[in-house]
Amino acid sequence: QLDLVPQLSVLQNVLAGRLGHWGLARSVVSLVRPRERETAEMALDRVGLADKLYERTSRLSGGEQQRVAIARLLLQDPQVILADEPVASLDPARAADLMGLLAEIVGQSGKTLVSSLHSIDLVRKHFSRLIGLRNGEQLFDLPSADVTGDMMDRLYDLRGLEGVDTFQGEDYGES
């Protein structure tokens, strides 16, 4: 869920990322007369939606709505971004674009991105470390370059976990 308010403009949805920094009065006033508009415009420009500032959020495509949510995230300025299946509802091209955008944002800002993904290609391209979890068990926790096709096959093996070894790399601890 993106937790956007469909009836509000893109600007207002992005500025909702600042609500935790404002008091109640400032938040209410901002509904009528948006504060920090320039900051929101910069965030929307960064995600490629500067031209949608006053568009009603409900009129945007799913991919555009996800970009609005990312712009709102930029205004929140967290140190760690947790993204649970951020590309689940997108076609492969939009998914690649969105993951590229998230990777660029965290790379430029020094933030940490933790995400659950099922797209092996996106995981390998955008993450330096992979943790394979299956049925609550950690199968591996390794730099992405060290994760083999065999490990991925075992992670996604539909026959069950019996007899599946956990993988360890040097200095990566025990499972």
Side-chain angles (χ1 to χ4, degrees):
Q1 298 295 334
L2 301 174
D3 295 324
L4 299 175
V5 181
Q7 301 82 2
L8 294 180
S9 70
V10 167
L11 173 63
Q12 290 167 318
N13 272 283
V14 171
L15 287 173
R18 299 296 298 156
L19 293 177
H21 301 276
W22 298 340
L24 178 62
R26 189 170 184 187
S27 298
V28 171
V29 169
S30 186
L31 284 173
V32 177
R33 189 172 202 197
R35 305 267 189 209
E36 299 185 33
R37 180 180 162 210
E38 297 80 21
T39 306
E41 286 177 358
M42 287 188 301
L44 285 165
D45 186 50
R46 186 143 189 218
V47 300
L49 290 177
D51 61 327
K52 305 282 185 180
L53 193 64
Y54 295 106
E55 187 83 28
R56 180 178 262 181
T57 306
S58 62
R59 295 186 184 143
L60 301 179
S61 70
E64 289 172 328
Q65 288 181 12
Q66 284 185 303
R67 287 177 180 271
V68 170
I70 292 171
R72 180 185 59 207
L73 176 76
L74 290 172
L75 265 65
Q76 292 171 333
D77 195 30
Q79 290 304 306
V80 177
I81 299 169
L82 301 175
D84 183 18
E85 290 292 338
V87 298
S89 62
L90 299 178
D91 63 75
R94 295 295 137 281
D97 288 346
L98 184 68
M99 284 310 304
L101 176 62
L102 281 172
E104 178 185 325
I105 288 168
V106 298
Q108 291 174 351
S109 64
K111 304 203 181 300
T112 299
L113 173 62
V114 177
S115 183
S116 62
L117 289 172
H118 292 283
S119 169
I120 305 307
D121 293 335
L122 291 176
V123 167
R124 287 191 184 275
K125 183 175 181 181
H126 297 291
F127 292 88
S128 60
R129 182 167 206 83
L130 305 181
I131 300 172
L133 300 173
R134 180 168 177 162
N135 295 332
E137 301 220 6
Q138 178 183 310
L139 298 183
F140 55 83
D141 178 356
L142 299 167
S144 58
D146 294 347
V147 177
T148 66
D150 183 49
M151 291 176 189
M152 297 308 288
D153 289 345
R154 289 186 186 185
L155 177 64
Y156 288 103
D157 182 6
L158 298 177
R159 292 172 288 162
L161 281 177
E162 282 121 46
V164 175
D165 296 326
T166 58
F167 294 95
Q168 301 175 41
E170 290 180 19
D171 301 322
Y172 295 110
E174 297 178 18
S175 300

